[in-house]
Amino acid sequence: MPDPILRPAVEDDLIAILDIYNHAVLNTTAIWNSAPVDLADRQAWFLGRQQANFPILVATIEGCCVGFATFGAFRPHEGFRLTVEHSVYVAAHAQRQGLGSLLLTALEREAQAVGKHVMVACIEAQNSASIELHKKHGFRQSGALSSCLIV
């Protein structure tokens, strides 16, 4: 595999980000949405991240976006101002090649650079690849949502 390049995402990356995102929606439990989204959704997401000064990083190989990572506010309360929730996604064909680790390392640096002290990952219990990735980076499980009640 040629060396990946990590960089901030640009609007031209949104088609690839959309493809990676929708593949995860349709084929994994990694995303807490059950329906694919359209380009307008990703454009609004991108603009929202930019306006809030939250990073979106991409990994590219030979000019093609094969993964992305971002973080955003964890909770709207003042007590969580130093905490962010993050996401790391890699295209199916590029998984298990270290790209998730590269993206997470870069995202951790971004968080530290803006004074964030805690990064939270909400990972579905069967997502062993993501759990192992985060363990490798020193994350530990601090809670579990075993069931939800909707009233």
Side-chain angles (χ1 to χ4, degrees):
M1 172 176 84
D3 288 338
I5 295 172
L6 300 183
R7 60 169 173 75
V10 296
E11 199 159 352
D12 286 346
D13 296 315
L14 288 179
I15 295 292
I17 289 171
L18 176 69
D19 289 343
I20 293 165
Y21 183 91
N22 281 338
H23 182 273
V25 168
L26 294 170
N27 298 287
T28 76
T29 57
I31 294 180
W32 300 92
N33 291 325
S34 57
V37 299
D38 60 15
L39 184 57
D41 176 90
R42 291 296 86 186
Q43 289 168 327
W45 168 82
F46 184 79
L47 182 60
R49 289 283 197 239
Q50 284 184 322
Q51 290 172 340
N53 292 316
F54 292 134
I56 304 171
L57 305 176
V58 295
T60 64
I61 296 177
E62 296 181 337
C64 297
C65 175
V66 293
F68 71 96
T70 187
F71 63 70
F74 176 61
R75 296 276 195 278
H77 312 293
E78 178 67 19
F80 291 108
R81 72 190 175 283
L82 302 178
T83 303
V84 292
E85 182 177 359
H86 70 280
S87 301
V88 177
Y89 296 101
V90 176
H93 71 276
Q95 292 175 358
R96 301 281 184 189
Q97 298 178 39
L99 295 171
S101 191
L102 288 172
L103 283 162
L104 184 51
T105 297
L107 201 59
E108 289 171 322
R109 282 192 211 115
E110 292 279 334
Q112 291 170 351
V114 295
K116 302 302 179 184
H117 293 271
V118 178
M119 289 180 64
V120 174
C122 294
I123 305 170
E124 197 276 332
Q126 301 304 309
N127 190 344
S128 57
S130 186
I131 291 168
E132 289 305 313
L133 169 66
H134 284 83
K135 282 182 180 177
K136 178 178 157 185
H137 282 260
F139 287 76
R140 60 181 171 75
Q141 182 176 333
S142 61
L145 302 172
S146 59
S147 64
C148 296
L149 176 63
I150 300 173
V151 291

